[in-house]
Amino acid sequence: MADILLTGDKALDRNLEQLKASAARRIFGKAARAALQPIKNDAKRRAPRRTGRLATSIRVRALKRSRSRIGAKVTTGTAGSDFQGKTFYAAFLEYGYKIGKRSTGVRHAQALRRRGKLKRTEAFFKKRRARVEANAAKSLAGDKRREVPGLFFMRDAAESGRRSAAETFQRVAKTELAVELAKMKKTD
């Protein structure tokens, strides 16, 4: 995910201090969605096509609610993960993958690490751990699987639209802020 950080706009900072937190979140959410629309369209254009399902699944989604973060992201599939839903393969196309079977030592070591047992059982299974790690190192060194490189269509879309997204975000945020401040003055 490409993060964009905007700093240095003193007028925007002063005006934001006058607003309630909920209004500021609403303004930033709107601005983030508007800024990401061109990136979404570019990612759809760059997406590989066979059935068109992948391109249709690319959407702008809000980030998970948080007190410290406001924003949106361009993503495919479900909101939860890249590897879920009917377009789970989008992650494989984006990041690349390897064809073939992993060796047993690697799978076993990864499973133990994932469950946190490789560290916990260190005192009891020192010999076993050494054997598993030796097998893993051996199989990683001799990994014969064919690597299919990623297409990076989402990353390229994000990088090409980064500057315009920042400008759009700032423009929309200023416009929405002016509208919100005008509403506040009417109610006062």
Side-chain angles (χ1 to χ4, degrees), residues 1 10 31 37 53 63 70 81 88 90 95 99 111-112 139-140 147 165 167-168 188:
M1 179 175 15
K10 304 287 185 204
Q37 285 301 322
R53 178 179 273 174
L63 291 178
I70 305 164
S81 167
F88 69 92
Y95 306 120
I99 296 175
L112 286 175
S139 63
L140 283 176
E147 191 167 324
E167 291 166 358
T168 303
D188 287 346

Short mmCIF file of all heavy atoms in Angstrom, two decimals, residues 1 10 31 37 53 63 70 81 88 90 95 99 111-112 139-140 147 165 167-168 188:
data_model
loop_
_atom_site.label_atom_id
_atom_site.label_comp_id
_atom_site.label_asym_id
_atom_site.label_seq_id
_atom_site.Cartn_x
_atom_site.Cartn_y
_atom_site.Cartn_z
N MET A 1 0.85 -1.16 0.00
CA MET A 1 0.00 0.00 0.00
C MET A 1 0.90 1.23 0.00
O MET A 1 1.86 1.31 0.74
CB MET A 1 -0.89 -0.03 1.24
CG MET A 1 -1.79 1.15 1.34
SD MET A 1 -3.00 1.22 2.68
CE MET A 1 -2.56 0.04 3.85
N LYS A 10 -0.45 25.42 6.36
CA LYS A 10 -0.81 26.07 7.64
C LYS A 10 -2.28 26.50 7.68
O LYS A 10 -2.95 26.36 8.69
CB LYS A 10 0.09 27.29 7.88
CG LYS A 10 1.57 26.99 7.86
CD LYS A 10 1.99 26.26 9.08
CE LYS A 10 3.50 26.10 9.05
NZ LYS A 10 3.96 25.01 9.82
N ALA A 31 -12.22 13.24 0.70
CA ALA A 31 -11.06 13.66 -0.08
C ALA A 31 -10.21 12.45 -0.50
O ALA A 31 -9.74 12.39 -1.64
CB ALA A 31 -10.21 14.65 0.71
N GLN A 37 -9.77 7.73 -6.94
CA GLN A 37 -10.54 7.32 -8.11
C GLN A 37 -9.68 7.19 -9.37
O GLN A 37 -9.77 6.18 -10.08
CB GLN A 37 -11.71 8.27 -8.36
CG GLN A 37 -12.87 8.11 -7.41
CD GLN A 37 -13.47 6.73 -7.41
OE1 GLN A 37 -13.59 6.08 -8.45
NE2 GLN A 37 -13.85 6.25 -6.23
N ARG A 53 -13.14 -10.26 -14.62
CA ARG A 53 -13.59 -10.26 -13.22
C ARG A 53 -12.62 -9.49 -12.31
O ARG A 53 -13.04 -8.78 -11.41
CB ARG A 53 -13.73 -11.70 -12.73
CG ARG A 53 -14.15 -11.78 -11.28
CD ARG A 53 -14.30 -13.18 -10.83
NE ARG A 53 -15.66 -13.60 -11.14
CZ ARG A 53 -16.10 -14.82 -10.98
NH1 ARG A 53 -15.31 -15.76 -10.54
NH2 ARG A 53 -17.34 -15.12 -11.26
N LEU A 63 -10.47 2.60 4.84
CA LEU A 63 -9.60 1.88 5.76
C LEU A 63 -10.40 1.47 6.98
O LEU A 63 -11.41 2.09 7.31
CB LEU A 63 -8.42 2.75 6.18
CG LEU A 63 -7.39 3.08 5.11
CD1 LEU A 63 -6.32 3.99 5.69
CD2 LEU A 63 -6.76 1.83 4.56
N ILE A 70 -7.33 7.88 9.16
CA ILE A 70 -8.49 8.10 8.30
C ILE A 70 -8.01 7.90 6.88
O ILE A 70 -6.92 8.33 6.52
CB ILE A 70 -9.01 9.55 8.43
CG1 ILE A 70 -9.30 9.91 9.88
CG2 ILE A 70 -10.25 9.75 7.58
CD1 ILE A 70 -9.45 11.38 10.11
N SER A 81 -8.70 -9.46 2.97
CA SER A 81 -7.38 -9.90 2.57
C SER A 81 -7.26 -9.94 1.06
O SER A 81 -8.25 -10.07 0.35
CB SER A 81 -7.12 -11.30 3.13
OG SER A 81 -5.98 -11.87 2.53
N PHE A 88 -9.20 -14.13 -5.58
CA PHE A 88 -8.03 -14.39 -4.73
C PHE A 88 -6.74 -14.38 -5.54
O PHE A 88 -5.68 -14.06 -5.03
CB PHE A 88 -8.18 -15.74 -4.03
CG PHE A 88 -8.08 -16.90 -4.98
CD1 PHE A 88 -6.86 -17.51 -5.22
CD2 PHE A 88 -9.20 -17.36 -5.66
CE1 PHE A 88 -6.75 -18.56 -6.11
CE2 PHE A 88 -9.10 -18.42 -6.55
CZ PHE A 88 -7.88 -19.02 -6.78
N ALA A 90 -5.69 -12.38 -7.64
CA ALA A 90 -5.13 -11.06 -7.90
C ALA A 90 -3.79 -10.87 -7.19
O ALA A 90 -2.87 -10.28 -7.74
CB ALA A 90 -6.11 -9.98 -7.44
N TYR A 95 1.96 -9.98 -7.02
CA TYR A 95 3.24 -10.20 -6.34
C TYR A 95 4.10 -11.30 -6.96
O TYR A 95 5.28 -11.39 -6.67
CB TYR A 95 3.01 -10.55 -4.87
CG TYR A 95 2.16 -9.54 -4.14
CD1 TYR A 95 0.96 -9.91 -3.56
CD2 TYR A 95 2.55 -8.20 -4.07
CE1 TYR A 95 0.17 -8.98 -2.89
CE2 TYR A 95 1.76 -7.27 -3.41
CZ TYR A 95 0.58 -7.68 -2.82
OH TYR A 95 -0.19 -6.76 -2.18
N ILE A 99 6.04 -22.04 -8.99
CA ILE A 99 5.33 -23.24 -9.43
C ILE A 99 6.09 -24.45 -8.93
O ILE A 99 7.31 -24.55 -9.11
CB ILE A 99 5.24 -23.29 -10.97
CG1 ILE A 99 4.42 -22.11 -11.47
CG2 ILE A 99 4.65 -24.61 -11.43
CD1 ILE A 99 4.37 -22.00 -12.96
N ALA A 111 5.48 -23.93 9.45
CA ALA A 111 4.32 -24.22 10.29
C ALA A 111 4.67 -24.04 11.76
O ALA A 111 3.90 -23.47 12.53
CB ALA A 111 3.82 -25.65 10.04
N LEU A 112 5.84 -24.52 12.17
CA LEU A 112 6.26 -24.35 13.57
C LEU A 112 6.44 -22.88 13.92
O LEU A 112 6.03 -22.43 14.98
CB LEU A 112 7.56 -25.12 13.83
CG LEU A 112 7.44 -26.63 13.91
CD1 LEU A 112 8.82 -27.25 14.05
CD2 LEU A 112 6.55 -27.06 15.06
N SER A 139 16.93 -27.16 1.38
CA SER A 139 15.90 -27.09 0.34
C SER A 139 15.76 -25.67 -0.21
O SER A 139 15.44 -25.49 -1.37
CB SER A 139 14.57 -27.58 0.86
OG SER A 139 14.12 -26.76 1.90
N LEU A 140 16.01 -24.66 0.63
CA LEU A 140 15.95 -23.28 0.11
C LEU A 140 17.11 -23.02 -0.83
O LEU A 140 16.97 -22.33 -1.83
CB LEU A 140 15.98 -22.28 1.27
CG LEU A 140 14.68 -22.11 2.03
CD1 LEU A 140 14.88 -21.16 3.20
CD2 LEU A 140 13.58 -21.60 1.13
N GLU A 147 9.97 -19.63 -10.89
CA GLU A 147 9.38 -18.42 -10.34
C GLU A 147 8.66 -17.64 -11.44
O GLU A 147 9.23 -17.38 -12.50
CB GLU A 147 10.46 -17.54 -9.72
CG GLU A 147 9.89 -16.41 -8.91
CD GLU A 147 10.94 -15.73 -8.05
OE1 GLU A 147 11.83 -16.42 -7.54
OE2 GLU A 147 10.85 -14.50 -7.91
N ALA A 165 -2.86 12.31 -6.99
CA ALA A 165 -3.73 11.94 -5.87
C ALA A 165 -3.53 12.90 -4.70
O ALA A 165 -4.50 13.33 -4.07
CB ALA A 165 -3.45 10.51 -5.42
N GLU A 167 -2.50 16.00 -4.88
CA GLU A 167 -3.06 17.31 -5.27
C GLU A 167 -4.59 17.28 -5.19
O GLU A 167 -5.21 18.23 -4.71
CB GLU A 167 -2.60 17.68 -6.67
CG GLU A 167 -1.11 18.00 -6.72
CD GLU A 167 -0.56 18.05 -8.15
OE1 GLU A 167 -1.34 17.79 -9.11
OE2 GLU A 167 0.63 18.34 -8.29
N THR A 168 -5.19 16.20 -5.68
CA THR A 168 -6.65 16.07 -5.63
C THR A 168 -7.12 16.03 -4.19
O THR A 168 -8.12 16.67 -3.84
CB THR A 168 -7.11 14.79 -6.37
OG1 THR A 168 -6.62 14.84 -7.70
CG2 THR A 168 -8.60 14.67 -6.37
N ASP A 188 -24.15 29.55 13.69
CA ASP A 188 -23.77 30.42 14.82
C ASP A 188 -24.57 31.66 14.87
O ASP A 188 -25.26 32.30 14.57
CB ASP A 188 -22.27 30.80 14.75
CG ASP A 188 -21.40 29.62 15.11
OD1 ASP A 188 -21.94 28.65 15.66
OD2 ASP A 188 -20.20 29.67 14.80
#
